[in-house]
Amino acid sequence: MWKIAVDVMGADHGVMPIVQGAIAAAKARECKVLLVGDEREIVPVLSQSGVAYGESERVEVVHCSDYIRMEESATDALKRKESSIYIATDLVREGKADALVSPGHSGSTMSLATLRLGRIDGVSRPAICTLMPTITHKPSMILDAGANTDCKPEYLVEFAIMGYEYARSVMGYDDNAIRVGLLANGEEESKGNELTKAAFALLKGYPFFKGNVEGNDIFNGSVDVIVCDGFSGNLVLKASEGVASSISQILKQEIKTSPLRLLGGLLLKGAFANLKKKVDYAEYGGAPLLGVKQVAIISHGKSNARAIENAVYQALRACEAKVCERIAQAFASTKG
């Protein structure tokens, strides 16, 4: 049975949605969740969810009262060995858990996962891989989405390899059909800044490389993996979240302006629900930190129970697909 360590402390809305989501995943799938955090806050949520404290084979509480606040520095986590994220990471490091899920301080999660779990041989910088909705049935992937604001061309090549392996092993995309693009301000090889031009030259030798892509290609299904530096990737991610939220609000306001529009809204209720589900970050759960030796999923600080449930599922898929081993093999073969 797979074991998933969940850091329940430090999220925007407290421990309740984190615990509820983890429990839902443990009930639905063959796995055990290790809830790392203050038992004084966790136990009441367990009771409300119908889980008897200490009696469930699927749920275990690992008590600690310290955690890294959002306003604190990521480097603080390296010294706070009794903090929830440090303990959760070490559960994975010591083999007591198979994967880590954290909606807490993302900088701390990245730092500890990199230093305590270790980088895969050949990986210079781990990258955050974020799923993005497209007009097709398959989401696309952006990496890096925020782990590395300053990058070298070689890093982008590594991101491309890791994204390709994640697409084929975890997402189940056809090996021979996976398309990797380099985010730039135009499709021509001459477009982009010095970083993207140098990265383009290095990526040209890879069969999965499609070439430069623009921002709209992230959503139109023409490419499966988009590589960029973490600064650009995070800007795209946050802007996309803002656009999706704004469109939802605009539609609600417009529908309420007349009885006819209200009727139309009712008739399209199912379509709107499907659209919301497709663009809702909660349906993707979290973003894997690719390039570390064991599975680590970074969830949004404002995650609700559904987001955490899906983050656990994502961790399970990564474990089952042995994605870390596949990435390690891919880098070993490039060396050979």
Side-chain angles (χ1 to χ4, degrees):
M1 182 185 296
W2 296 109
K3 297 178 181 179
I4 312 298
V6 182
D7 173 19
V8 307
M9 307 297 289
D12 294 356
H13 303 301
V15 306
M16 180 174 287
I18 314 306
V19 174
Q20 289 175 336
I23 291 173
K27 288 180 177 179
R29 299 288 177 88
E30 188 71 19
C31 70
K32 180 176 183 177
V33 291
L34 307 177
L35 305 176
V36 185
D38 195 332
E39 63 182 13
R40 295 168 297 182
E41 297 185 47
I42 297 172
V43 173
V45 184
L46 293 179
S47 300
Q48 293 173 25
S49 305
V51 177
Y53 179 45
E55 296 180 14
S56 173
E57 294 182 356
R58 299 289 188 89
V59 180
E60 180 181 336
V61 178
V62 180
H63 174 69
C64 66
S65 57
D66 186 27
Y67 68 95
I68 309 301
R69 278 71 175 172
M70 290 297 184
E71 65 273 13
E72 294 183 283
S73 170
T75 56
D76 290 343
L78 306 178
K79 299 171 283 187
R80 304 255 288 277
K81 296 185 178 182
E82 299 304 315
S83 66
S84 58
I85 184 57
Y86 198 106
I87 292 173
T89 304
D90 266 21
L91 287 173
V92 180
R93 172 187 168 91
E94 295 165 3
K96 297 175 182 177
D98 301 292
L100 167 69
V101 171
S102 175
H105 196 297
S106 58
S108 297
T109 305
M110 288 185 287
S111 296
L112 284 170
T114 302
L115 294 174
R116 300 297 293 168
L117 303 182
R119 287 181 287 110
I120 290 170
D121 188 28
V123 174
S124 305
R125 297 286 190 279
I128 296 175
C129 178
T130 299
L131 301 181
M132 302 293 282
T134 71
I135 59 174
T136 72
H137 67 282
K138 300 190 305 181
S140 63
M141 287 164 277
I142 291 181
L143 67 165
D144 181 23
N148 308 280
T149 54
D150 296 304
C151 290
K152 297 179 180 179
E154 294 81 7
Y155 299 172
L156 300 190
V157 176
E158 294 173 12
F159 299 166
I161 294 170
M162 293 191 290
Y164 173 82
E165 290 300 327
Y166 194 83
R168 66 190 288 262
S169 61
V170 178
M171 304 301 292
Y173 294 176
D174 183 357
D175 293 16
N176 298 317
I178 297 172
R179 300 151 299 176
V180 178
L182 177 65
L183 186 63
N185 62 334
E187 295 183 356
E188 299 83 2
E189 183 175 348
S190 60
K191 290 295 181 72
N193 54 22
E194 294 304 315
L195 171 64
T196 55
K197 289 176 183 176
F200 190 105
L202 295 175
L203 284 165
K204 279 199 298 186
Y206 290 86
F208 54 65
F209 183 54
K210 177 183 176 179
N212 283 342
V213 295
E214 298 179 76
N216 59 298
D217 294 312
I218 296 170
F219 311 99
N220 65 18
S222 64
V223 67
D224 303 296
V225 179
I226 301 95
V227 296
C228 58
D229 62 89
F231 182 79
S232 301
N234 195 256
L235 287 178
V236 169
L237 174 61
K238 296 296 173 60
S240 302
E241 290 177 349
V243 169
S245 177
S246 297
I247 289 175
S248 176
Q249 292 298 317
I250 292 169
L251 282 173
K252 289 178 182 178
Q253 292 168 7
E254 290 296 321
I255 287 172
K256 293 176 182 178
T257 58
S258 73
L260 188 59
R261 289 184 177 184
L262 279 172
L263 176 60
L266 288 173
L267 294 174
L268 291 170
K269 187 176 181 180
F272 286 147
N274 288 337
L275 174 62
K276 183 179 184 299
K277 185 175 182 180
K278 195 162 190 176
V279 301
D280 187 0
Y281 75 91
E283 294 302 318
Y284 299 103
L289 182 66
L290 301 182
V292 292
K293 291 181 178 179
Q294 290 163 285
V295 176
I297 306 294
I298 298 172
S299 295
H300 207 299
K302 63 179 181 180
S303 290
N304 56 23
R306 178 61 176 167
I308 296 302
E309 181 181 357
N310 281 320
V312 173
Y313 296 155
Q314 193 174 33
L316 290 171
R317 289 194 298 271
C319 289
E320 291 164 355
K322 298 182 179 179
V323 67
C324 297
E325 290 89 337
R326 287 176 178 267
I327 289 174
Q329 290 169 5
F331 277 91
S333 65
T334 59
K335 280 187 173 183

